Amino acid sequence: MDFTLTEEQLMIQQAARDFAQQELLPGVIERDEEQKFPADQVKMMGELGFLGMMVDPNYGGSGLDTLSYVLVMEELSKVDASASVIVSVNNSLVCWGLETYGTEEQKQKYLTRLATGEIIGAFCLSEPEAGSDATSQKTTAIDKGDHYLLNGTKNWITNGGTADVYLVMAQTDAAKKHKGINALIVEKGMEGFEIGPKENKLGIRGSDTHSLNFNDVKVPKENRIGEDGFGFKFAMKTLAGGRIGIAAQALGIAAGAYELARKYSKERKAFGTEIMNHQAIAFKLADMHTQIDAARMLVYKAAVDKDQNRNYDLSGAMAKLYASQVAMDTTVEAVQIHGGNGFVKDYHVERLMRDAKITQIYEGTSEIQKIVISRSILKD
Ligand code: CAA
């Protein structure tokens, strides 16, 4: 498969690289320590078109392909994975779902503002008792004629406190199991909608993760996405694309840690020479480079599958499974190469190691990716 990047893709990649160095790097350690949401940077990313990258320009988006989106995710994640997950959720889980399955009215009302970053979105599937087992939704959306009455709790919601628009999966007809689930657009400020406390996380601490409570929230019928009972399929189809974004995030975290370790190995001296001259270090770098390149091939292939309208459930799951493992392995080794300096915050690699872990958990754990992959390869 030929991954030669076009002039336009190279320009977008460079723009993301410059933005990450100039706007994300300063303050990234403090934002991590203080769990501070990068509000100014999110605004700038909206202006750069990074929040609605694949959305049709008629709805305020940048009209780019998935490969360009992946390139941006990779560059942002090298420096600040908290900022990149905001980009990923808004693009893949919110804008894509609305553009693909929303009504014209919903697109005009919500997508046009989400794609420009005027507002941001959140995707609400996980619950206290339904994480990986997503068909077991306990949140209910009872049909009341012209509206749904929404009750329940959602957990670990990225952009939970800062979003304006929430795509919420809820059970309307429990007897129909997953075919009774609906996807509803809920706005911040709707009566009975409460944002729970912010989670104190191991990594991606600048991103804003909350639980959400819905107590008799009246959601107008016109806020349902797709036909009655389409909510679970909507979530699965949306997550299939989301996984490509998270795979790109994992790739970026790995590549960022590798670049720091490579640079450090050329500067740091031990036993009378730069540590890169010790085979113990050089071989670690060789492994890291090889694994990152392999992860990149999987991530780009999944993106190109999506761009060329091929099925990307399998390639997206493989990309996420592998890239997230590479992110973990690479960041652990980057800390090791840095020795004692790797264990303190100034050198960035300890943060990248903490940030890497979530890529094996959210938008489907590695075990869920293996379910998706094994079912796909065994179904014939
Ligand atoms: N596209 C379309 N339909 C799909 C699909 C896909 N990719 N995957 C499953 N479905 C459909 C199936 O066809 C089936 O429908 P039918 O009965 O009509 O055939 C239905 O969904 C149920 O599928 P399964 O029987 O396979 O369901 P299951 O209970 O075995 O679970 C699963 C399947 C893949 C494990 C799924 O539950 C899953 O993906 N779980 C993980 C959920 C997840 O990723 N959560 C992350 C939360 S979001 C997040 O992290 C957001 C954030 O803020 C960052």
Side-chain angles (χ1 to χ4, degrees):
M1 198 173 260
D2 179 14
F3 293 126
T4 309
L5 301 180
T6 63
E7 280 296 310
E8 189 187 43
Q9 287 164 339
L10 287 168
M11 267 173 54
I12 291 155
Q13 184 183 44
Q14 189 61 48
R17 193 173 291 156
D18 293 344
F19 175 80
Q21 287 301 318
Q22 288 158 20
E23 306 295 343
L24 293 178
L25 188 57
V28 67
I29 295 173
E30 292 73 21
R31 289 195 300 278
D32 171 69
E33 270 183 350
E34 295 160 17
Q35 298 203 80
K36 190 165 175 251
F37 185 80
D40 295 342
Q41 290 80 358
V42 169
K43 191 167 174 290
M44 287 184 245
M45 289 194 288
E47 286 158 7
L48 282 167
F50 290 170
L51 293 176
M53 291 197 66
M54 295 162 287
V55 175
D56 186 326
N58 289 324
Y59 296 111
S62 304
L64 295 166
D65 57 9
T66 315
L67 187 53
S68 302
Y69 163 59
V70 153
L71 296 172
V72 168
M73 280 298 297
E74 184 181 340
E75 292 307 321
L76 302 179
S77 307
K78 283 181 183 174
V79 175
D80 187 351
S82 296
S84 71
V85 71
I86 300 162
V87 173
S88 178
V89 167
N90 205 67
N91 274 285
S92 298
L93 299 188
V94 181
C95 287
W96 185 84
L98 273 174
E99 185 169 27
T100 310
Y101 300 110
T103 62
E104 186 55 32
E105 248 185 10
Q106 290 168 348
K107 291 182 203 178
Q108 293 297 343
K109 188 167 177 191
Y110 301 109
L111 182 61
T112 49
R113 292 188 293 148
L114 286 160
T116 56
E118 183 191 330
I119 58 173
I120 61 168
F123 180 85
C124 313
L125 178 68
S126 300
E127 298 185 357
E129 290 171 67
S132 291
D133 183 9
T135 55
S136 299
Q137 299 284 298
K138 298 280 186 295
T139 298
T140 54
I142 304 303
D143 191 338
K144 294 283 180 187
D146 65 340
H147 67 273
Y148 289 99
L149 203 60
L150 186 64
N151 278 287
T153 300
K154 293 288 172 182
N155 258 25
W156 308 306
I157 304 304
T158 305
N159 300 339
T162 36
D164 303 270
V165 170
Y166 299 76
L167 307 187
V168 181
M169 271 38 79
Q171 185 66 260
T172 295
D173 187 344
K176 291 189 184 161
K177 301 195 172 149
H178 64 273
K179 291 183 176 147
I181 293 173
N182 278 310
L184 304 178
I185 305 169
V186 177
E187 292 180 31
K188 182 179 257 164
M190 279 182 170
E191 205 180 327
F193 175 21
E194 287 169 7
I195 295 164
K198 185 171 173 147
E199 301 291 353
N200 186 1
K201 307 191 298 285
L202 172 76
I204 56 159
R205 287 168 58 81
S207 100
D208 179 45
T209 311
H210 290 254
S211 58
L212 307 173
N213 298 313
F214 305 99
N215 304 306
D216 284 342
V217 181
K218 280 186 182 174
V219 184
K221 267 275 170 72
E222 64 260 26
N223 281 24
R224 188 183 72 212
I225 303 172
E227 294 299 305
D228 183 29
F230 180 64
F232 191 75
K233 284 231 173 199
F234 169 80
M236 290 298 109
K237 284 178 176 286
T238 304
L239 277 168
R243 288 166 185 162
I244 302 175
I246 300 303
Q249 180 189 43
L251 168 64
I253 293 171
Y258 164 76
E259 281 168 19
L260 289 169
R262 181 175 166 278
K263 183 165 171 282
Y264 187 83
S265 75
K266 289 170 159 254
E267 291 163 359
R268 174 78 177 178
K269 288 191 175 154
F271 304 102
T273 182
E274 288 79 12
I275 60 171
M276 68 173 181
N277 295 319
H278 300 300
Q279 206 173 55
I281 302 297
F283 278 16
K284 279 189 199 299
L285 291 165
D287 281 339
M288 289 155 91
H289 187 266
T290 306
Q291 288 159 7
I292 289 168
D293 231 28
R296 187 172 286 116
M297 294 302 117
L298 283 174
V299 176
Y300 288 12
K301 178 179 183 301
V304 171
D305 278 346
K306 184 161 179 284
D307 285 334
Q308 296 189 356
N309 295 319
R310 288 191 292 265
N311 185 295
Y312 51 89
D313 289 356
L314 175 63
S315 53
M318 291 198 300
K320 182 177 185 291
L321 175 69
Y322 187 71
S324 61
Q325 185 62 51
V326 171
M328 261 337 285
D329 294 347
T330 305
T331 53
V332 167
E333 288 295 53
V335 171
Q336 191 68 17
I337 290 171
H338 280 75
N341 282 329
F343 207 62
V344 295
K345 295 191 183 286
D346 303 4
Y347 286 80
H348 299 282
V349 284
E350 66 79 36
R351 188 187 68 258
L352 291 166
M353 186 181 84
R354 288 185 286 106
D355 288 348
K357 185 62 203 166
I358 191 60
T359 64
Q360 295 186 306
I361 298 173
Y362 60 16
E363 300 199 27
T365 61
S366 295
E367 291 73 18
I368 290 294
Q369 305 314 318
K370 288 183 193 179
I371 291 179
V372 173
I373 295 164
S374 57
R375 283 183 183 174
S376 171
I377 60 177
L378 294 172
K379 77 178 166 206
D380 293 330

